[in-house]
Amino acid sequence: MTLPKKTIYTTNVLLLSWVIFTFILFGGSIIRNYKKILTLSHSIEKKYDDTMDQYKKIAIFILKNNLPQDINYFNSTSNTTYNLPSVKQLKIIVFNKDLTEKQSKDKMLHDEYVVNILGCHNNKCIRVSVDKQKILSEISKNDLWRYGKIKTIPFKKSMLFKTATGESLDEHKIFIFILLMCFCILYLSQSIILFIKYFNLIKINNDLSITSNKNEQDLITKTEKLNKLYDILPFVYALTDEYFAHYAHKLISRNAHISDIDLVYLLQKVEKFLAPQIIKKDLKITLDGINCTITLKSDNEILFAVLLNLMFKSISRAKISSEIMIKLYKTDNAINIEINDCGYKYQQKNDNKIKIYMLPDLFLENLCRKIKIINIKELRNGEINSIIITIMDTEIETLEEMENEANNNNRIKIKIDPIWL
């Protein structure tokens, strides 16, 4: 069970849009309800102030008309006239005689739920103590206020905001419920998908670990086999050199075996023979001209030995991790092979033992003459060494004919002269 990433992103964007829409709607509802409740609170505060004024009017009315100044008559009059709650205490105060106003206040009831109201006429006052909670309870029963009991006047803004928020929540509970359900569904679905992906990744990781361990074991096994093969290579080279040392003189004395030779294929064989030296120095061999087939008639064995020696010379002096460029091109009746390397001057080691890839110069000249290699030039320009080999593209019949032609015709010349620039 997996969903495309596009589907998950689309679902998240839609849910985010729904959240933003709900918050905007909810915020607007809170502001609207707060303004409405604030207006109601002002109306209730005005009604509360009017109630206090009504108690005061009754006190003044009693004093003006010399009516009975006792608590029972006061309560009866207030209840009949304005339907007001009964007062808890009533006191008559005459100024500038027995008590001052401050002293009279000290003897009145004092409580946070009690309000003292003073109504005066001439030098005489009636002070009554009214139960504030009863008045607020009566106001709470009014149709204008439907948010529970009123506990304080004036209203606190925090209480008004809390009331507005609660009403907005009640109005938009369906939207909020849908939003929470969407959150829960999306969270659970994505959690399940992520858990499945996590489980699959663990499984893939375990499979990769098993495969990696298996490949590592296979690689160790192959490396051991390759090391055995590499250990055999020195022996094979030594055996090849020993065989060639006994067979080398026959290359000069025997007749040339002429056949069609694919020059690119022959150079690739030389590269494979010298692979250990190439790998050891981390060299890159580039053949330029391999897209076209270049063939010539020559002795395959002798030409291989000549190219092997010249290539080994180039590899020996090349710098580590450099490139050796081999170019093939034709000019008139000749084929040219140019070997370029970036390296040092070549210094051949003196070794009495004949090696197939390190032949003496005189022996190499005789082999070149036998297969009509008419010119070998060595050039050096800066750090670039070049070996240019020119081979006549004509058929060779026998050694005697080639030698007679070389003696009678100056066209065939063997020149292995390094020219340093």
Side-chain angles (χ1 to χ4, degrees):
M1 175 184 169
T2 56
L3 291 175
K5 290 183 179 179
K6 189 175 181 181
T7 304
I8 296 176
Y9 292 155
T10 304
T11 306
N12 288 331
V13 170
L14 290 175
L15 182 61
L16 181 61
S17 302
W18 179 261
V19 171
I20 294 172
F21 171 75
T22 304
F23 271 107
I24 292 173
L25 186 66
F26 186 66
S29 176
I30 291 175
I31 294 171
R32 186 175 62 256
N33 288 329
Y34 180 78
K35 290 180 179 179
K36 181 183 70 174
I37 293 172
L38 186 63
T39 303
L40 290 176
S41 69
H42 289 325
S43 300
I44 291 170
E45 288 175 11
K46 185 177 182 301
K47 188 174 181 179
Y48 176 79
D49 293 337
D50 291 342
T51 302
M52 297 297 106
D53 289 340
Q54 287 171 357
Y55 279 112
K56 189 174 182 180
K57 286 178 183 178
I58 291 172
I60 295 170
F61 175 77
I62 290 174
L63 291 174
K64 278 183 179 181
N65 296 285
N66 293 319
L67 297 174
Q69 299 173 8
D70 59 77
I71 190 169
N72 292 328
Y73 184 80
F74 187 91
N75 287 333
S76 175
T77 304
S78 62
N79 188 25
T80 303
T81 306
Y82 297 109
N83 194 23
L84 298 174
S86 301
V87 298
K88 289 187 174 183
Q89 186 179 359
L90 184 145
K91 188 170 184 63
I92 305 299
I93 302 172
V94 179
F95 290 102
N96 300 324
K97 243 187 176 186
D98 300 325
L99 298 170
T100 63
E101 183 179 358
K102 183 178 179 184
Q103 289 171 335
S104 66
K105 284 183 181 179
D106 292 339
K107 294 188 178 183
M108 297 296 287
L109 291 173
H110 181 73
D111 195 330
E112 61 176 330
Y113 298 111
V114 175
V115 178
N116 294 321
I117 302 169
L118 186 66
C120 299
H121 180 69
N122 293 331
N123 290 327
K124 197 173 183 180
C125 297
I126 295 177
R127 183 179 295 278
V128 292
S129 298
V130 181
D131 189 346
K132 182 180 178 181
Q133 202 63 40
K134 285 185 178 181
I135 298 173
L136 294 179
S137 296
E138 290 294 329
I139 295 174
S140 298
K141 296 176 183 179
N142 194 296
D143 293 337
L144 292 175
W145 190 261
R146 57 181 183 277
Y147 306 108
K149 291 184 178 181
I150 301 172
K151 296 182 180 180
T152 180
I153 292 290
F155 292 92
K156 293 181 180 180
K157 291 184 177 181
S158 59
M159 188 274 291
L160 295 178
F161 183 79
K162 182 179 179 181
T163 304
T165 304
E167 188 171 3
S168 298
L169 285 171
D170 188 62
E171 289 177 358
H172 301 95
K173 57 187 176 183
I174 296 176
F175 282 97
I176 296 172
F177 176 76
I178 294 173
L179 179 64
L180 291 175
M181 287 299 295
C182 290
F183 263 122
C184 292
I185 292 171
L186 184 63
Y187 175 78
L188 290 174
S189 61
Q190 290 191 1
S191 298
I192 293 171
I193 293 169
L194 290 175
F195 177 77
I196 293 172
K197 286 188 175 181
Y198 175 74
F199 179 77
N200 291 335
L201 287 175
I202 290 177
K203 185 177 179 182
I204 292 171
N205 182 61
N206 292 334
D207 293 340
L208 289 175
S209 298
I210 294 171
T211 305
S212 177
N213 293 333
K214 184 179 178 182
N215 290 337
E216 185 178 0
Q217 293 298 325
D218 292 342
L219 184 61
I220 292 173
T221 304
K222 290 179 180 179
T223 303
E224 291 176 353
K225 291 180 180 179
L226 288 174
N227 289 334
K228 290 180 181 179
L229 291 175
Y230 289 144
D231 292 339
I232 295 172
L233 279 177
F235 171 75
V236 174
Y237 274 105
L239 189 63
T240 303
D241 291 336
E242 185 177 352
Y243 169 78
F244 187 76
H246 297 287
Y247 177 74
H249 67 281
K250 292 186 178 180
L251 289 177
I252 301 298
S253 60
R254 72 168 175 79
N255 294 332
H257 301 296
I258 306 303
S259 62
D260 291 332
I261 299 174
D262 185 343
L263 196 53
V264 173
Y265 177 72
L266 187 62
L267 287 169
Q268 289 174 344
K269 284 175 62 177
V270 172
E271 181 182 349
K272 289 179 181 179
F273 189 88
L274 297 174
Q277 290 84 351
I278 294 171
I279 294 172
K280 185 177 180 180
K281 299 189 72 173
D282 191 24
L283 300 176
K284 180 181 178 182
I285 308 297
T286 303
L287 291 175
D288 188 12
I290 62 173
N291 293 328
C292 58
T293 302
I294 298 179
T295 60
L296 75 158
K297 293 184 180 297
S298 184
D299 188 299
N300 183 73
E301 191 177 11
I302 297 175
L303 184 58
F304 175 81
V306 172
L307 294 178
L308 184 66
N309 278 263
L310 297 175
M311 275 289 295
F312 178 79
K313 190 175 188 179
S314 181
I315 291 171
S316 298
R317 65 189 174 194
K319 292 183 177 180
I320 295 174
S321 300
S322 61
E323 181 181 12
I324 295 177
M325 176 73 72
I326 303 174
K327 297 181 181 179
L328 305 177
Y329 55 92
K330 288 184 177 182
T331 55
D332 297 333
N333 293 327
I335 295 175
N336 297 279
I337 305 172
E338 183 177 341
I339 305 172
N340 298 314
D341 64 84
C342 179
Y344 312 97
K345 292 182 179 180
Y346 177 72
Q347 294 181 350
Q348 187 171 355
K349 297 179 181 179
N350 294 323
D351 194 349
N352 294 328
K353 188 176 180 181
I354 296 178
K355 296 182 179 180
I356 189 173
Y357 49 84
M358 291 178 62
L359 296 177
D361 289 342
L362 182 60
F363 190 88
L364 193 60
E365 287 181 12
N366 291 329
L367 291 179
C368 291
R369 187 177 294 108
K370 190 174 186 66
I371 57 173
K372 288 192 175 180
I373 295 179
I374 60 173
N375 197 8
I376 298 177
K377 289 183 180 179
E378 293 189 29
L379 307 175
R380 181 175 174 83
N381 186 3
E383 292 185 347
I384 305 299
N385 301 303
S386 299
I387 301 174
I388 303 173
I389 309 153
T390 304
I391 308 172
M392 289 295 296
D393 190 16
T394 56
E395 185 175 353
I396 305 172
E397 293 182 358
T398 61
L399 174 63
E400 290 79 13
E401 291 177 356
M402 198 283 301
E403 289 177 347
N404 292 333
E405 186 176 3
N407 293 329
N408 299 326
N409 194 340
N410 292 328
R411 287 186 308 159
I412 302 175
K413 296 180 179 178
I414 305 302
K415 184 178 182 182
I416 307 179
D417 275 336
I419 303 176
W420 309 107
L421 299 181

